């Protein structure tokens, strides 16, 4: 699986959009970009994933660049409950068991 | 029900003790996972069960012994642990072992080895 690079920390004002970048310059054509987050003392939570096209669900939007070398997770209206560590993972999607390899992630602090 | 439950929430054990961690899901998922997370570090994969068979063991010491009695249950048997094994142990499940499906995590068991 391709390595991902994220900033170690970010702040975001409550109610504003939080844009979390991820670099995955060595991603291969059959690797998806997944985002998980981990709120303090809880298990990680799946947020969203995508391959080429931008994706949106009830939690967030995922914007993937055309060359697929980077992506941005967007939380449109951040709340205090969005304070967490956000992990970007590049993952081969194929038959058989697979492994989530968590990097260091970005610690997002939402500030009142 | 999209919940993965883990018991106990907290466990303190001595180095000569034998204990077990339990994980349960009722989502019909066919893949289950154990992760270990040290403080301020990301989770690290330990084991993967696919259709109740062990498919991945990430070079975990034999003092950790996983067991999958049925498709809903996953146990982690602990014996002769070391203080450095103190960590948060997370269980997860996914619909299928294939990479396309998201994993659902339990809240974890916080283990302290004295």
């Amino acid at each position: 699986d391709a390595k991902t690079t994220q900033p170690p920390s970010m702040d975001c004002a409550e109610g504003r959009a939080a844009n979390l970048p991820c670099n995955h310059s060595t991603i291969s054509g059959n690797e998806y970009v997944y985002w998980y987050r981990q709120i303090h003392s809880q298990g990680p939570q799946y947020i969203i994933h995508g391959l080429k096209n931008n994706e949106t669900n009830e939690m967030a939007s995922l914007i993937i660049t055309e060359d697929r070398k980077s992506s941005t997770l967007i939380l449109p209206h951040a709340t205090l409950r969005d304070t967490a560590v956000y992990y970007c993972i590049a993952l081969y999607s194929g038959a058989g068991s697979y492994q989530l390899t968590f990097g260091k992630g970005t610690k997002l602090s939402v500030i009142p | 029900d999209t919940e993965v439950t883990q018991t106990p929430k907290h466990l303190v054990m001595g180095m000569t003790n034998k204990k077990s961690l339990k994980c349960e899901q009722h989502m019909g998922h066919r893949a289950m996972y154990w992760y270990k997370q040290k403080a301020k570090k990301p989770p690290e994969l330990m084991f993967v069960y696919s259709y109740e068979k062990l498919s991945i063991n990430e070079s975990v010491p034999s003092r950790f012994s996983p067991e999958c009695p049925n498709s809903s249950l996953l146990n982690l048997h602990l014996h002769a642990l070391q203080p450095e094994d103190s960590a948060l142990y997370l269980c997860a499940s996914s619909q299928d072992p294939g990479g396309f499906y998201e994993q659902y995590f339990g809240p974890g068991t916080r283990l302290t080895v004295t």
Side-chain angles (χ1 to χ4, degrees):
Chain A
D1 298 323
K3 184 178 173 181
T4 61
T5 306
Q6 299 176 254
S9 64
M10 290 181 65
D11 291 340
C12 177
E14 189 179 16
R16 304 295 296 265
N19 297 285
L20 292 94
C22 179
N23 182 290
H24 32 79
S25 57
T26 61
I27 197 169
S28 64
N30 55 10
E31 286 183 304
Y32 282 73
V33 178
Y34 278 75
W35 284 83
Y36 282 76
R37 73 180 181 183
Q38 188 171 22
I39 296 169
H40 182 61
S41 296
Q42 297 183 23
Q45 177 190 25
Y46 165 82
I47 302 173
I48 198 166
H49 73 277
L51 182 64
K52 292 181 189 176
N53 300 321
N54 298 338
E55 303 287 344
T56 296
N57 63 20
E58 64 278 3
M59 288 183 70
S61 294
L62 175 60
I63 308 297
I64 302 174
T65 58
E66 195 168 339
D67 62 8
R68 301 211 326 121
K69 292 186 176 181
S70 65
S71 60
T72 301
L73 178 75
I74 301 172
L75 308 179
H77 305 287
T79 71
L80 298 178
R81 287 177 294 181
D82 292 320
T83 292
V85 178
Y86 286 77
Y87 297 102
C88 168
I89 302 166
L91 181 64
Y92 168 69
S93 174
S97 299
Y98 76 105
Q99 306 175 39
L100 273 180
T101 303
F102 290 87
K104 295 181 180 178
T106 295
K107 183 172 170 53
L108 175 69
S109 298
V110 180
I111 300 167
Chain B
D1 181 9
T2 57
E3 193 179 19
V4 175
T5 59
Q6 291 187 244
T7 54
K9 282 189 168 47
H10 301 275
L11 178 63
V12 179
M13 61 184 290
M15 289 189 285
T16 58
N17 291 159
K18 282 186 182 180
K19 296 285 185 184
S20 296
L21 309 184
K22 181 179 171 182
C23 173
E24 196 164 0
Q25 57 88 13
H26 295 288
M27 295 178 276
H29 288 176
R30 302 316 301 266
M32 296 186 78
Y33 312 80
W34 280 114
Y35 291 82
K36 174 182 176 179
Q37 185 173 27
K38 301 282 280 183
K40 298 189 189 305
K41 298 288 187 183
E44 294 179 348
L45 183 69
M46 299 174 73
F47 302 104
V48 180
Y49 270 84
S50 171
Y51 292 89
E52 300 163 47
K53 287 185 171 32
L54 183 64
S55 60
I56 293 180
N57 175 340
E58 288 290 335
S59 303
V60 179
S62 59
R63 56 186 184 269
F64 295 91
S65 175
E67 179 198 17
C68 190
N70 59 57
S71 59
S72 300
L73 280 175
L74 186 65
N75 297 320
L76 186 63
H77 303 297
L78 314 171
H79 174 53
L81 294 194
Q82 303 296 311
E84 59 265 29
D85 297 320
S86 298
L88 180 68
Y89 289 84
L90 293 159
C91 173
S93 70
S94 65
Q95 181 175 335
D96 189 271
F100 186 75
Y101 298 98
E102 64 264 33
Q103 293 186 16
Y104 292 79
F105 284 80
T109 293
R110 190 161 298 281
L111 173 69
T112 302
V113 181
T114 60

